[in-house]
Amino acid sequence: MFKHDKNLLQIVKVEGPNPTYAAMLNEQLGGPQGELKAAMQYIAQSFRIKDPQIKDLFMDIAAEELSHMEMVATAVNLLNGHDVNAQAVQSGHIESQVLTGLSPYLANASGFPWTAAYVNVTGDLPADLLSNIAAEQRAKVVYEYLHRQIQDRHVREMIDFLLNREEAHNTMFREAFTRIQDTGSNRDWGVDSNARLYFNLSTPGGQYFDVSNPQHPSFQSPNQPMQQH
């Protein structure tokens, strides 16, 4: 069960309307790396998780992603302004002006509608956690791209907040992954001789990686000092 708290996680403001940037920011509302995708993916994955602590983690992060979606939609709404004017946006970014009456739309920056095909669910907890870690990483990259293309200080403050929250989710998923090293698709990691073969098919080129002693994928605790590579 969800309850709606009318207070946003952080106050969302803009310096002024910017319909073209509103269309760009819509990427994180209904795009493949956006907040709706993240929320639906984590909820869908949680249905078969038996570990109660990890299940709670998935649902907690999913609920927060819905709140991020509300923040992004609020910013898009403010950036679109008050008056429909298709001349105010670049060609290809006019859906909000001609289709939805300035309402934030569940679509990416090009107007392609959100689809459940964005959601990855395997039923295997290690695979799903790795997918979620990558999803948080990709979302951070998109927010970094968006941050560089706007000078509005209020929008930048919102993006800074969301960037840091993506990092927090990434860290929590990584911590969960360290708890399940010998479960699911991580069982018997590299025991077969075929798992220790490296095919050097680049000519010319050397063998730069070694799989003769495969190790479970793992992540360093954020509380430990970083190793130098």
Side-chain angles (χ1 to χ4, degrees):
M1 181 176 69
F2 292 91
K3 292 183 179 180
H4 179 234
D5 187 331
K6 295 179 182 179
N7 297 307
L8 296 177
L9 278 182
Q10 186 183 65
I11 295 174
V12 175
K13 298 186 293 184
V14 302
E15 291 181 355
N18 188 334
T20 296
Y21 188 80
M24 295 170 60
L25 186 59
N26 216 93
E27 182 69 29
Q28 288 301 81
L29 185 60
Q33 321 303 338
E35 305 294 355
L36 177 60
K37 171 263 176 71
M40 293 299 99
Q41 178 161 307
Y42 307 156
I43 289 173
Q45 290 172 347
S46 76
F47 293 145
R48 283 189 61 82
I49 296 177
K50 296 180 175 59
D51 184 308
Q53 295 180 0
I54 295 180
K55 186 182 184 73
D56 277 1
L57 175 68
F58 276 54
M59 290 300 295
D60 288 343
I61 295 178
E64 186 180 344
E65 299 290 11
L66 289 172
S67 72
H68 292 180
M69 177 183 164
E70 187 175 21
M71 289 178 65
V72 171
T74 300
V76 169
N77 197 40
L78 293 172
L79 289 164
N80 271 330
H82 303 288
D83 300 313
V84 173
N85 179 10
Q87 303 301 316
V89 294
Q90 297 177 5
S91 177
H93 290 167
I94 63 174
E95 282 79 8
S96 64
Q97 307 292 321
V98 301
L99 179 63
T100 66
L102 303 184
S103 297
Y105 183 42
L106 298 183
N108 68 7
S110 298
F112 187 83
W114 187 87
T115 169
Y118 296 152
V119 174
N120 296 300
V121 182
T122 69
D124 177 78
L125 189 52
D128 284 346
L129 276 167
L130 286 172
S131 178
N132 296 351
I133 290 165
E136 296 292 337
Q137 203 83 16
R138 290 192 297 268
K140 179 185 176 184
V141 169
V142 175
Y143 275 127
E144 287 175 343
Y145 292 152
L146 288 166
H147 191 280
R148 296 170 194 157
Q149 298 178 78
I150 187 71
Q151 298 304 315
D152 186 310
R153 63 186 179 91
H154 298 308
V155 176
R156 280 193 157 194
E157 286 174 0
M158 181 194 75
I159 293 177
D160 282 337
F161 173 81
L162 294 172
L163 267 170
N164 280 282
R165 293 309 303 159
E166 304 298 355
E167 287 191 352
H169 297 166
N170 196 328
T171 300
M172 288 185 280
F173 282 136
R174 287 169 182 255
E175 183 179 340
F177 190 80
T178 63
R179 300 186 185 185
I180 58 165
Q181 288 300 296
D182 297 310
T183 67
S185 58
N186 273 344
R187 285 195 299 266
D188 300 325
W189 185 272
V191 297
D192 191 282
S193 60
N194 289 317
R196 298 191 293 275
L197 295 177
Y198 179 93
F199 295 104
N200 183 16
L201 303 178
S202 299
T203 305
Q207 183 169 330
Y208 305 114
F209 296 90
D210 181 19
V211 291
S212 60
N213 183 30
Q215 302 293 321
H216 283 298
S218 61
F219 300 102
Q220 189 174 40
S221 167
N223 296 321
Q224 295 176 357
M226 291 294 292
Q227 295 179 351
Q228 298 299 318
H229 297 281

